[in-house]
């Protein structure tokens, strides 16, 4: 949940930047820092902890500057500390960065061989060293930045300043949000509008592969090759909700598109790829505690319950620990059998869901160890888990305004994947190399989600073929059976179409009676051990005149000849396929609801957080 803010103009940069960082605090962070020009040099002040800790350092100085950048960091690579906080410096180049540089190890090795000395544990530091290496080869700042970003793999929003260019800030975006604010003879750049909204309502939203050059002479925007890009200036209204939409038609669509960032923020700082270890501090547990766990109980409501079902599969497959998943409203009324070797995992986006809170309280009273997976810092479920000596795992996916859960769900799946690996390690079911492979697969997920999002126009076209239907069937097997439930729920929630999710193997035990040409069947068809069985289920639907939508893995050349409509997810391990399938089911539901003229963000009879029974 890192935050970026930059300023260039005639004002006092440091208080403007600090104020902007405060307005980004909701994004979550563990350290903060600023960089600023003073007497022809770039000064850097950083601190682990909160912005107030940084302010205490600033108050001891007498800084006057009109150009600067700031950052709030949520740890990815490297523990929270002053040396790992941003900004980072190499020579005369200083940067702040949101995102993950996936190939940082190979870049770091090369740059170290060239004589660069690294001072932090972060992936971000390679960026300033890489830019500096090109400047040393004779390139100017802009060319050096373009050369550097071509060598970086991953997601990044970067702010760059350089001592020989005191009148310039460069902002670069790929798969991580950046917005530019246009003031009166001044410019801002930030990861989100609230950072500077009190100073200007005229903004430009950068798209992927775009670079903004903010200078005392004006603003230029180019592509990564240096070609000029024309951008529209958007006037933000006084309505804060409109500002939060960021130009999207609906909150739900915005939040669907935020998922690469949300997934990244959920995994940020939670593991060490080099060591193949999960950071157990993030679960408020240690190895000795986890070794005592003999059973995991997942409890939640709605979409979060579907995450619980997937968590059950993950824990049993990766850790070989027995697991159960139950709806909170049922759990609290059935006199459950619980002891102190059980880990009770409550999952709630808001942390205020009444039935989940009641179930968590019951489990605590009966002696279970408590872990709360939640998105809202300081929520009731989180506070009560901590008070009871339990743990809280914050997903930090950011505010979710749309009633139909999207990024909260995929962030929960990310958290559960990490929990299952942690249990697998402590129960000696996963060795170091297997764990590193599993974590590498997770690191690649945000870019694979981006690939699916790039297919949005194709998904909308499919929705136009299907939106007149009044009934849908969603079918999956194994770990993707809960995704069938989630697909049906999404469609019901926002389009008011009757839909059912079933295990595909249960189709002949009732649902097959409903099949006809007017009832589309959506199948999740990964290349796993159930693949041949699902193909048989598809043939059963086809033989009865049903229309089949198959969502398969991209290496599947056979499925297109069988299904009426086919969509593909990128290759990944079987445990992460639900996370990729989820993006399709969200977009299908969204476009069908829009075509039917439904209120996507506020569907009838539903509330974002159910705080009463």
């Amino acid at each position: 949940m890192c935050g970026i803010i930059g300023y260039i103009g005639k004002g006092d940069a440091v208080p403007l930047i600090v104020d902007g960082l405060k307005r980004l605090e909701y994004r979550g962070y563990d350290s903060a820092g600023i960089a600023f020009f003073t007497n022809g040099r770039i000064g850097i002040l950083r601190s682990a902890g909160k912005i107030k800790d940084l302010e205490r350092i600033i108050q001891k100085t007498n800084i006057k500057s009109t150009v600067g950048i700031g950052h709030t960091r949520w740890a990815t690579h490297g523990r929270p500390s002053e040396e790992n906080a941003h900004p980072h410096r190499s020579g005369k180049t200083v940067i702040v960065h949101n995102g993950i540089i996936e190939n940082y190890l190979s870049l770091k090795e090369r740059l170290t061989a060239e004589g660069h000395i690294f001072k932090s544990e972060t992936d971000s530091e390679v960026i300033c060293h890489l830019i500096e290496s090109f400047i040393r080869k004779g390139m100017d700042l802009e060319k050096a930045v373009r050369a550097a970003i071509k060598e970086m793999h991953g997601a990044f929003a970067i702010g760059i300043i350089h001592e020989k260019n005191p009148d310039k800030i460069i902002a670069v975006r790929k798969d991580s949000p950046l917005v530019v604010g246009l003031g009166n003879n001044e410019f801002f750049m930030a990861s989100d509008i609230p950072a500077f909204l009190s100073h200007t309502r005229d903004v430009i939203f950068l798209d992927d592969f775009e670079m903004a050059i903010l200078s005392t002479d004006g603003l230029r925007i180019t592509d990564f090759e240096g070609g000029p890009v024309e951008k529209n200036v958007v006037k933000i209204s006084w309505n804060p909700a409109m500002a939060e939409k960021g130009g999207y038609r609906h909150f739900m669509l915005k939040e669907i598109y935020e998922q690469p960032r949300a997934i990244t923020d959920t995994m940020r700082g939670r593991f060490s790829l080099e060591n193949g270890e999960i950071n157990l501090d993030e679960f408020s547990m240690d190895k000795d505690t986890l070794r005592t766990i003999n059973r995991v109980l997942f409890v939640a409501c709605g979409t979060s319950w579907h995450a619980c079902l997937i968590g059950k599969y993950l824990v049993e497959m990766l850790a070989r620990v027995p697991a159960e998943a139950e709806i909170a409203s049922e759990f609290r009324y059935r006199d459950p059998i619980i002891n102190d070797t059980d880990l009770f995992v409550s999952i709630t986006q808001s942390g205020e869901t009444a039935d989940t809170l009641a179930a968590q309280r019951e489990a605590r009273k009966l002696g279970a160890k408590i872990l709360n997976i939640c998105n809202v810092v300081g929520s009731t479920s989180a506070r009560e888990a901590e008070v009871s000596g339990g743990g809280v795992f914050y997903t930090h996916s950011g505010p979710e305004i749309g009633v139909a859960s999207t990024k909260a769900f995929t962030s929960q799946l990310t958290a559960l994947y990490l929990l299952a690996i942690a249990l697998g390690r402590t129960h000696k079911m996963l060795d170091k190399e297997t764990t590193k492979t599993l974590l590498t697969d997770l690191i690649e997920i945000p870019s694979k989600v981006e690939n699916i999002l790039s297919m949005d126009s194709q998904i909308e076209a499919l929705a136009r073929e299907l939106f007149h239907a009044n009934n849908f069937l969603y079918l999956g097997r194994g770990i993707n059976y809960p995704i069938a439930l989630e697909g049906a729920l999404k469609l019901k929630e926002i389009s008011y179409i009757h839909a059912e999710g079933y295990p595909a193997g249960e189709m002949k035990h009732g649902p097959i009676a409903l099949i006809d040409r007017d009832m589309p069947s959506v199948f999740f068809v990964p290349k796993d051990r159930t693949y041949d069985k699902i193909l048989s289920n598809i043939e059963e639907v086809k033989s009865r005149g049903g229309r089949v939508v198959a969502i398969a893995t991209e290496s599947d050349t056979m499925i297109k000849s069988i299904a009426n409509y086919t969509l593909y997810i990128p290759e990944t391990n079987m445990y992460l396929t639900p996370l990729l399938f989820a993006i399709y089911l969200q977009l299908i539901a969204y476009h069908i609801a829009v075509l039917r003229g439904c209120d996507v963000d506020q569907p009838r009879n539903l509330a974002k957080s159910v705080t009463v029974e």
Side-chain angles (χ1 to χ4, degrees):
M1 292 296 296
C2 304
I4 286 176
I5 175 72
Y7 172 81
I8 185 167
K10 297 181 179 179
D12 193 351
V14 172
L16 285 170
I17 291 167
V18 171
D19 179 69
L21 293 178
K22 289 179 178 179
R23 295 175 186 273
L24 295 173
E25 282 190 291
Y26 71 90
R27 298 174 66 87
Y29 68 103
D30 51 46
S31 57
I34 61 171
F36 47 87
F37 278 93
T38 177
N39 299 321
R41 301 292 303 276
I42 296 176
I44 295 177
L45 296 175
R46 305 181 299 188
S47 173
K50 298 301 182 182
I51 293 171
K52 63 183 180 182
D53 300 311
L54 176 65
E55 284 187 292
R56 279 194 283 267
I57 297 172
I58 294 172
Q59 288 167 1
K60 297 176 183 178
T61 66
N62 184 25
I63 307 166
K64 292 296 181 182
S65 179
T66 57
V67 181
I69 53 178
H71 190 269
T72 51
R73 175 182 186 254
W74 188 262
T76 52
H77 300 74
R79 67 191 185 283
S81 64
E82 188 276 331
E83 63 268 23
N84 287 332
H86 296 220
H88 290 292
R89 183 203 300 268
S90 174
K92 299 182 185 302
T93 304
V94 176
I95 65 99
V96 290
H97 165 234
N98 288 356
I100 291 179
I101 306 302
E102 295 170 1
N103 61 331
Y104 84 99
L105 284 175
S106 60
L107 291 173
K108 184 175 182 179
E109 183 179 353
R110 189 187 88 195
L111 291 163
T112 300
E114 293 176 5
H116 290 257
I117 299 174
F118 287 77
K119 298 179 180 179
S120 78
E121 303 169 292
T122 69
D123 59 324
S124 302
E125 192 183 353
V126 301
I127 301 171
C128 56
H129 286 280
L130 192 57
I131 294 170
E132 185 72 12
S133 72
F134 286 111
I135 290 174
R136 291 177 185 177
K137 294 173 185 176
M139 293 187 186
D140 63 29
L141 179 59
E142 290 183 35
K143 289 182 179 178
V145 171
R146 292 190 179 98
I149 58 182
K150 288 179 181 178
E151 297 201 18
M152 297 187 303
H153 302 158
F156 46 82
I158 311 168
I160 306 138
I161 56 177
H162 188 270
E163 280 189 0
K164 289 189 175 181
N165 297 264
D167 59 348
K168 185 178 294 184
I169 298 176
I170 293 180
V172 180
R173 172 189 167 144
K174 178 183 176 291
D175 299 336
S176 190
L178 268 182
V179 60
V180 174
L182 290 71
N184 184 17
N185 295 318
E186 60 185 4
F187 297 99
F188 301 80
M189 66 95 179
S191 45
D192 209 349
I193 295 169
F196 56 72
L197 194 55
S198 60
H199 300 281
T200 179
R201 294 188 290 126
D202 293 330
V203 306
I204 292 174
F205 295 97
L206 294 185
D207 291 315
D208 286 341
F209 308 105
E210 290 182 349
M211 186 167 93
I213 300 94
L214 291 64
S215 75
T216 53
D217 295 327
L219 171 69
R220 289 186 293 116
I221 298 175
T222 74
D223 58 28
F224 280 7
E225 300 299 323
V229 176
E230 295 295 326
K231 303 287 288 186
N232 293 325
V233 177
V234 178
K235 175 73 74 173
I236 301 300
S237 74
W238 285 109
N239 181 349
M242 292 301 296
E244 290 172 4
K245 284 183 182 177
Y248 288 92
R249 183 175 178 182
H250 297 99
F251 281 114
M252 182 180 178
L253 186 61
K254 175 179 181 280
E255 289 156 4
I256 289 171
Y257 271 80
E258 286 177 336
Q259 286 175 110
R261 190 270 307 159
I263 294 165
T264 297
D265 286 342
T266 300
M267 72 173 86
R268 195 181 298 277
R270 267 65 193 266
F271 60 84
S272 167
L273 181 60
E274 294 179 58
N275 298 328
E277 292 288 350
I278 304 298
N279 181 359
L280 297 181
D281 290 343
E282 293 292 333
F283 294 97
S284 303
M285 295 182 185
D286 54 32
K287 291 182 180 179
D288 291 338
T289 301
L290 283 181
R291 287 191 190 104
T292 67
I293 301 301
N294 292 327
R295 181 177 64 153
V296 181
L297 301 171
F298 294 103
V299 175
C301 302
T303 287
S304 294
W305 175 61
H306 298 155
C308 287
L309 291 169
I310 293 168
K312 167 184 165 62
Y313 281 97
L314 289 170
V315 166
E316 292 194 340
M317 289 190 292
L318 291 173
R320 306 307 296 157
V321 173
E324 299 175 16
E326 189 160 353
I327 295 172
S329 57
E330 293 296 316
F331 178 89
R332 62 182 296 195
Y333 289 113
R334 70 160 181 84
D335 194 18
I337 300 171
I338 291 176
N339 60 49
D340 61 4
T341 63
D342 291 330
L343 176 63
F344 179 93
V345 182
S346 59
I347 305 179
T348 162
Q349 189 281 142
S350 67
E352 307 295 342
T353 307
D355 286 314
T356 305
L357 280 168
Q360 180 177 304
R361 290 162 183 161
E362 178 72 8
R364 181 184 65 187
K365 183 174 70 175
L366 295 172
K369 296 177 177 66
I370 304 297
L371 174 63
N372 176 230
I373 296 177
C374 182
N375 187 39
V376 180
V377 176
S379 63
T380 302
S381 67
R383 293 196 309 272
E384 293 188 4
E386 290 175 332
V387 167
S388 69
V392 181
F393 187 104
Y394 287 117
T395 55
H396 292 297
S397 58
E400 188 176 68
I401 309 302
V403 167
S405 180
T406 53
K407 64 178 181 177
F409 177 63
T410 49
S411 296
Q412 290 165 356
L413 297 188
T414 304
L416 291 167
Y417 185 79
L418 293 174
L419 174 62
I421 293 173
L423 284 166
R425 288 290 276 155
T426 56
H427 284 70
K428 298 183 178 179
M429 292 294 127
L430 297 174
D431 60 26
K432 179 179 177 180
E433 292 307 312
T434 302
T435 302
K436 288 173 72 172
T437 299
L438 291 169
L439 293 174
T440 299
D441 290 342
L442 179 61
I443 289 171
E444 294 172 352
I445 285 295
S447 63
K448 291 179 178 181
V449 172
E450 286 283 354
N451 289 341
I452 295 172
L453 292 172
S454 71
M455 303 296 293
D456 195 9
S457 59
Q458 180 180 334
I459 300 166
E460 184 178 7
L462 171 63
R464 292 185 180 279
E465 296 288 326
L466 303 176
F467 80 97
H468 291 296
N470 292 317
N471 298 280
F472 270 72
L473 193 60
Y474 286 78
L475 298 153
R477 282 180 178 260
I479 197 170
N480 289 302
Y481 155 54
I483 285 295
L485 296 175
E486 177 63 9
L489 177 62
K490 279 292 156 288
L491 197 65
K492 284 185 281 193
E493 283 180 314
I494 62 172
S495 73
Y496 318 140
I497 294 174
H498 172 256
E500 296 293 338
Y502 266 88
E506 285 291 294
M507 190 175 63
K508 286 185 285 190
H509 295 271
I512 199 168
L514 300 173
I515 298 297
D516 61 27
R517 64 184 303 276
D518 297 320
M519 183 176 184
S521 298
V522 181
F523 282 87
F524 301 98
V525 197
K527 274 292 191 73
D528 61 16
R529 61 185 179 181
T530 67
Y531 179 74
D532 290 336
K533 301 292 186 183
I534 294 179
L535 290 187
S536 297
N537 297 140
I538 291 174
E539 292 290 3
E540 289 167 347
V541 170
K542 292 281 289 182
S543 67
R544 288 158 178 81
R547 287 185 291 168
V548 170
V549 178
I551 309 177
T553 45
E554 58 190 4
S555 62
D556 190 342
T557 57
M558 183 189 309
I559 194 70
K560 198 166 188 177
S561 64
I562 302 173
N564 299 90
Y565 314 98
T566 310
L567 300 167
Y568 295 98
I569 63 169
E571 297 281 350
T572 189
N573 70 50
M574 65 178 291
Y575 314 110
L576 290 169
T577 54
L579 210 155
L580 297 180
F581 284 134
I583 312 302
Y584 275 119
L585 67 86
Q586 293 165 3
L587 285 170
I588 288 170
Y590 171 79
H591 287 300
I592 288 177
V594 170
L595 289 166
R596 290 170 71 95
C598 300
D599 188 340
V600 172
D601 286 331
Q602 296 181 322
R604 66 190 183 204
N605 305 328
L606 296 178
K608 182 62 184 171
S609 179
V610 182
T611 56
V612 295
E613 283 193 71

